[in-house]
Amino acid sequence: PGPTLDAVRALETRARATPAIEILARHAALGLFDGPTVPLATSDELVQVRADRVVVATGATESHQLFPGNDLPGVMLGRAASAMAALHGVPVGRRVVVVASTAEGVEHLRVLVATGARVVALVPAAFVDEVPHEAEAILDGELVEARGHGHLRSVIVRELGERRRIACDA
């Protein structure tokens, strides 16, 4: 949710309104071969497209950080947290620590704050102007561990060489 999704939806609307564009939803490009030929696959069909022009737009994949405890319930990707809060009205937690190093991460932070999440810390706070006034800006911090039994109870952050615990549930 937010400006990026709005821009994608506006582009999709324009593309669908253009007669020269055929949209093959839920198809994955398997490669780019001579011709140029691009095979597109779904679970039940393979379509070969011979293109006049090819635009390679690989998109972006949000990747889950690797750290001890990253599989605890409550540890989630920003896109998932944003969708839960904004699209489905499901609060992600009562005390939220956001790890964001990109503009998209800041969009997720804004969505969480706008939907009522109590953000207690932003790690690293590269976007210090975006940190809610009640949250801590951890400028040179790094999330190194998530702790809890059965669900997230705290994270360990390394800041200026020192490790410290921040209580949170998301």
Side-chain angles (χ1 to χ4, degrees):
T4 302
L5 181 58
D6 295 343
V8 168
R9 287 186 173 151
L11 179 60
E12 179 187 16
T13 299
R14 285 182 29 220
R16 289 187 184 282
T18 304
I21 296 176
E22 180 182 357
I23 296 177
L24 299 173
R26 304 197 190 289
H27 284 69
L30 301 179
L32 177 60
F33 299 93
D34 289 339
T37 299
V38 181
L40 305 175
T42 66
S43 60
D44 60 349
E45 87 175 321
L46 179 65
V47 178
Q48 285 195 19
V49 175
R50 186 170 299 278
D52 292 329
R53 286 181 277 159
V54 174
V55 176
V56 178
T58 59
T61 301
E62 187 177 25
S63 60
H64 201 53
Q65 285 184 292
L66 297 176
F67 52 84
N70 72 348
D71 59 344
L72 281 170
V75 176
M76 62 190 79
L77 292 174
R79 288 180 185 169
S82 279
M84 283 177 60
L87 297 178
H88 306 296
V90 176
V92 296
R94 292 181 307 282
R95 293 180 49 88
V96 180
V97 172
V98 174
V99 178
S101 58
T102 66
E104 183 183 19
V106 172
E107 284 182 29
H108 298 319
L109 169 67
R110 288 180 188 142
V111 166
L112 291 173
V113 169
T115 57
R118 180 172 170 230
V119 176
V120 296
L122 177 65
V123 184
F127 303 94
V128 71
D129 295 341
E130 300 292 334
V131 179
H133 70 277
E134 68 276 2
E136 179 182 2
I138 301 175
L139 296 175
D140 287 321
E142 173 188 15
L143 179 68
V144 295
E145 185 179 350
R147 291 185 175 170
H149 297 287
H151 61 88
L152 182 65
R153 294 189 189 272
S154 66
V155 293
I156 304 299
V157 175
R158 183 175 26 242
E159 181 180 22
L160 302 173
E162 299 291 320
R163 292 169 57 109
R164 66 187 182 89
R165 181 183 161 275
I166 300 173
C168 63
D169 60 359

